[in-house]
Amino acid sequence: ALEKTIQDNPDDHQSRFDLSLSLWAAGAQEKAADHLLYIIEADRSWQEDGARTQLLKFFEMAGPMDPFTVAARRKLSSILFS
């Protein structure tokens, strides 16, 4: 249902955020991060920078040297500093 909502309204950041959490719980780390990165790029201030904060929590759970963390941090840096 969340995927359909996002297809119909890509800027529904709350649904995208909720989908990210569901994907993380299902073990789809990269997809979960991609949804948060989309929110960060579209509206960094959404929910007081909530997407970035959640992404940092994902990094903590995965560990700093995990390949997921390394790749997602690179994407985050690209968004923040470009």
Side-chain angles (χ1 to χ4, degrees):
L2 290 172
E3 289 176 346
K4 174 73 170 123
T5 301
I6 292 168
Q7 286 176 351
D8 293 344
N9 182 6
D11 293 327
D12 182 346
H13 298 319
Q14 185 61 56
S15 292
R16 189 174 292 279
F17 184 86
D18 294 343
L19 177 59
S20 175
L21 296 178
S22 295
L23 288 167
W24 181 267
Q29 293 177 325
E30 289 180 31
K31 288 182 181 181
D34 286 344
H35 285 291
L36 294 176
L37 290 164
Y38 179 94
I39 296 169
I40 294 165
E41 189 167 23
D43 182 1
R44 176 142 183 230
S45 64
W46 178 80
Q47 296 288 347
E48 298 180 12
D49 206 16
R52 188 185 64 81
T53 301
Q54 183 59 51
L55 188 58
L56 295 178
K57 290 179 185 177
F58 286 171
F59 294 165
E60 285 180 31
M61 287 185 269
M65 300 310 292
D66 188 277
F68 156 76
T69 302
V70 173
R73 278 191 189 275
R74 190 173 300 120
K75 290 177 185 178
L76 178 60
S77 293
S78 175
I79 290 169
L80 296 178
F81 301 113
S82 61

